[in-house]
Amino acid sequence: MKATLSLPHRATYADYLATEQNSERRHVFIDGVIVAMAGGSDEHNAIASRFATLFGVRVPRGCRSYTPDQRFWIAATTRGRYSDGSIICGKPAHPAHDNQATTNPVVVLEVLSPSSEGDDDGDKRRDFQSLVSLEAYVIAAQDARCVKVYRRTERGEWRDAPDVYRDGERFELPQLTRTSAVDEVYDDILDGAGRSLLR
């Protein structure tokens, strides 16, 4: 996230929704500020697309994989957020003030990029972890063949450290019918040393 829409006052969520409806770019709503989202690199977009494919063929009936265009409302911090991918089971739940935002993802995916890494594994992660429905927050590097998964404990609390998966390893995610391999995420996108195969 780089550009900030200049406003003479703190924006309301209604201001944010009006901006979203009239813009070709997506924005997030953070503490009364409307922030335009930067476009992803070739690697970022390819990895996010690979996850969408993996999610799509592994979600059971009643669950669906969602694209990066799905907006989320974070009530705990009154923020509007997007992710690089998500899984929602059952009917999407919407807040009364925004029928295009949902509040009940089971899995959220973020592909790290230099401009958003601190947020993706910082405030944004904590925002999504405040949603009671969320069971896993997935972070995929775009410069290394590495997937991290933050999970809840059996008591419903978030573990402090993520499970980390590298080449040759498989990982499972809540609700998906089978495991995924790190190789499936990165093959033909990054080589074994994490160098791009797209350039």
Side-chain angles (χ1 to χ4, degrees):
M1 292 177 281
K2 292 182 179 179
T4 302
L5 189 65
S6 178
L7 294 171
H9 62 279
R10 288 285 186 194
T12 65
Y13 199 77
D15 295 331
Y16 167 63
L17 293 181
T19 299
E20 283 293 83
Q21 290 174 348
N22 298 312
S23 176
E24 294 181 2
R25 298 185 67 184
R26 289 181 296 140
H27 301 78
V28 293
F29 182 73
I30 307 292
D31 303 330
V33 179
I34 301 169
V35 183
M37 296 179 65
S41 67
D42 294 335
E43 296 78 15
H44 178 285
N45 295 336
I47 293 166
S49 178
R50 187 68 56 82
F51 265 101
T53 300
L54 295 176
F55 287 175
V57 298
R58 288 168 168 78
V59 290
R61 188 174 180 82
C63 295
R64 287 156 297 281
S65 172
Y66 286 76
T67 71
D69 288 326
Q70 180 60 56
R71 185 165 63 242
F72 295 94
W73 168 248
I74 312 295
T77 54
T78 62
R79 292 174 173 173
R81 292 280 200 179
Y82 289 91
S83 70
D84 289 320
S86 58
I87 297 169
I88 298 174
C89 295
K91 293 182 179 179
H94 306 285
H97 61 282
D98 186 355
N99 63 9
Q100 292 185 4
T102 60
T103 60
N104 60 327
V106 175
V107 175
V108 164
L109 163 72
E110 288 298 334
V111 180
L112 294 184
S113 58
S115 64
S116 67
E117 183 171 353
D119 188 41
D120 289 346
D121 199 5
D123 284 350
K124 188 173 190 178
R125 171 174 56 82
R126 288 185 288 273
D127 280 354
F128 276 108
Q129 287 176 326
S130 73
L131 300 176
V132 296
S133 63
L134 195 71
E135 298 177 25
Y137 185 86
V138 183
I139 296 176
Q142 70 166 331
D143 58 359
R145 293 168 68 106
C146 179
V147 175
K148 298 179 181 180
V149 183
Y150 286 90
R151 303 177 189 276
R152 287 188 189 270
T153 67
E154 291 181 359
R155 297 175 59 185
E157 300 166 347
W158 285 98
R159 296 177 186 162
D160 291 333
D163 296 326
V164 180
Y165 303 90
R166 301 187 185 280
D167 266 353
E169 297 180 322
R170 303 186 69 84
F171 59 94
E172 62 178 322
L173 293 174
Q175 302 299 328
L176 296 190
T177 58
R178 61 184 191 274
T179 62
S180 301
V182 172
D183 296 347
E184 292 179 274
V185 174
Y186 291 103
D187 279 354
D188 205 33
I189 300 173
L190 300 181
D191 67 14
R195 292 183 295 261
S196 176
L197 297 172
L198 307 180
R199 299 179 187 279

